[in-house]
Amino acid sequence: MVVLAGPPAVDQIPLLRSPDPGDVFSGVPVVDLASPGAAQAVVDACERYGFFKVVNHGVATDTMDKVESEAVRFFARPQADKDRSGPAYPFGYGSKRIGLNGDMGWLEYLLLAVDEAYLSDSCTVPSCAVFRGALNEYIAAVRKVAVRVMEAMAAGLGIAPADALTAMVTGEGSDQVFRVNHYPPCRALQGLGCSATGFGEHTDPQLISLLRSNGTSGLQVALRDGQWLSVPSDRDAFFVNVGDSLQVLTNGRFHSVKHRVVANSLKSRVSFIYFGGPPLAQRIAPLPQLLGEGEHSLYKEFTWGEYKKAAYKSRLGDNRLAQFEK
């Protein structure tokens, strides 16, 4: 990352050189969930990149359009109204500050708790019944996609039972989170050759995350050689990230992908992310079925609660897994 000096409008927000038009991830793996080869395609993508796009996922266009429309309406409200839905600790509305460790980004967001397939009753934000209903419909649908993807992972890896992975996310006490991000256009930087960091470099600590956005680009992923590439937007598809915990469960066979978001200078970006995490007491260690003869675990055993606590104490860009490597 090259940090540049910026105008007062983005004070304290890290700036990046604007993406080169040629730095596009044109080879994003695409998995057709309706294809008989989906399981192997998922495993191949997780091993190579830790990131892929899902099509033929079964989520109705109307469900996606409805939640997007309500999110745009929420973020267009006066700032004072939105602030009454915060702070985002542990859940609610947040703006620019990401977490508790001083990380900043050109965004505002809603961080929401999920219980089973819907927003938790203890999470009172958003209070608008229409928006809440749209979120619940969307979360229930995208959670089904996450289950299908994780079942495909298990099938492709030859793990039994078939719900060995999904049970961690769908079982009682699972730690699921839903996030709605809004990256306003950063017009102050237009034509200056730099862009505001929307959400800084990080990996997701959970098992899996599914992301969908409107048609505005901004998502970037880092390949294994460290090169950052822009991901072409596709509002009809879902993008799947392998999380840190899944990397450990597969003993590094799958790897969690570093990603970030660069704010657009002209267009607003809205994204929706479902994070599937296990119960806090869930033991996280390489699955015995995936350890070959004589192969040793690369990681110390820990619980999801222990890792979550360590992850959220870290800064964006930190190697969270380093302290758990053997």
Side-chain angles (χ1 to χ4, degrees):
M1 178 178 75
V2 179
V3 180
L4 303 174
V10 288
D11 186 37
Q12 299 183 43
I13 305 294
L15 305 182
L16 304 167
R17 294 195 185 280
S18 295
D20 188 303
D23 292 338
V24 175
F25 191 6
S26 57
V28 176
V30 180
V31 175
D32 181 347
L33 279 186
S35 167
Q40 189 56 53
V42 165
V43 170
D44 290 345
C46 290
E47 289 180 339
R48 188 173 182 187
Y49 297 114
F51 174 82
F52 56 96
K53 181 166 74 171
V54 166
V55 298
N56 281 331
H57 44 70
V59 181
T61 300
D62 181 64
T63 299
M64 297 189 290
D65 289 346
K66 191 187 308 180
V67 76
E68 184 177 314
S69 176
E70 290 302 319
V72 169
R73 184 174 288 112
F74 174 85
F75 289 119
R77 291 167 58 186
Q79 189 62 48
D81 289 353
K82 292 183 287 187
D83 288 340
R84 282 193 282 272
S85 296
Y89 311 116
F91 299 103
Y93 172 80
S95 177
K96 293 188 178 176
R97 296 188 179 277
I98 303 170
L100 300 172
N101 300 306
D103 292 303
M104 302 287 287
W106 189 257
L107 84 161
E108 55 182 341
Y109 58 92
L110 286 169
L111 189 61
L112 309 170
V114 176
D115 185 7
E116 295 186 358
Y118 305 98
L119 291 177
S120 171
D121 290 340
S122 63
C123 186
T124 58
V125 175
S127 58
C128 172
V130 177
F131 189 13
R132 198 172 182 88
L135 282 165
N136 278 330
E137 180 181 340
Y138 181 88
I139 290 168
V142 76
R143 187 173 181 262
K144 290 179 180 178
V145 179
V147 167
R148 292 175 65 189
V149 169
M150 296 181 79
E151 287 176 344
M153 289 176 178
L157 290 169
I159 300 173
D163 66 349
L165 295 176
T166 58
M168 297 185 197
V169 171
T170 60
E172 185 177 354
S174 60
D175 189 22
Q176 303 170 85
V177 176
F178 193 77
R179 188 176 183 110
V180 186
N181 288 336
H182 174 228
Y183 304 92
C186 190
R187 295 187 175 90
L189 299 178
Q190 185 179 358
L192 298 182
C194 59
S195 302
T197 296
F199 205 118
E201 171 188 337
H202 65 287
T203 58
D204 295 335
Q206 295 87 354
L207 273 75
I208 189 175
S209 56
L210 274 72
L211 175 147
R212 176 192 168 270
S213 73
N214 62 356
T216 302
S217 61
L219 177 64
Q220 297 183 339
V221 297
L223 302 187
R224 290 200 180 192
D225 62 4
Q227 182 184 14
W228 284 95
L229 295 178
S230 296
V231 177
S233 60
D234 186 342
R235 66 186 307 270
D236 297 319
F238 288 95
F239 292 92
V240 179
N241 292 331
V242 169
D244 296 342
S245 297
L246 186 56
Q247 177 174 320
V248 174
L249 289 171
T250 61
N251 205 33
R253 183 169 170 180
F254 292 179
H255 74 97
S256 57
V257 62
K258 289 181 181 180
H259 52 288
R260 66 188 183 193
V261 174
V262 178
N264 194 291
S265 62
L266 297 175
K267 299 180 181 179
S268 174
R269 175 181 169 88
V270 180
S271 61
F272 308 85
I273 312 99
Y274 166 83
F275 299 94
L280 295 179
Q282 174 68 49
R283 169 180 169 268
I284 305 295
L287 298 171
Q289 298 172 70
L290 297 181
L291 290 177
E293 186 176 351
E295 184 180 358
H296 299 289
S297 170
L298 301 177
Y299 305 93
K300 304 170 187 174
E301 181 179 322
F302 54 87
T303 66
W304 164 240
E306 291 169 337
Y307 188 66
K308 180 180 180 181
K309 184 176 180 180
Y312 285 98
K313 281 185 175 180
S314 64
R315 292 292 304 269
L316 293 179
D318 287 351
N319 181 359
R320 297 160 168 163
L321 278 177
Q323 61 188 299
F324 294 99
E325 294 174 349
K326 286 186 174 179

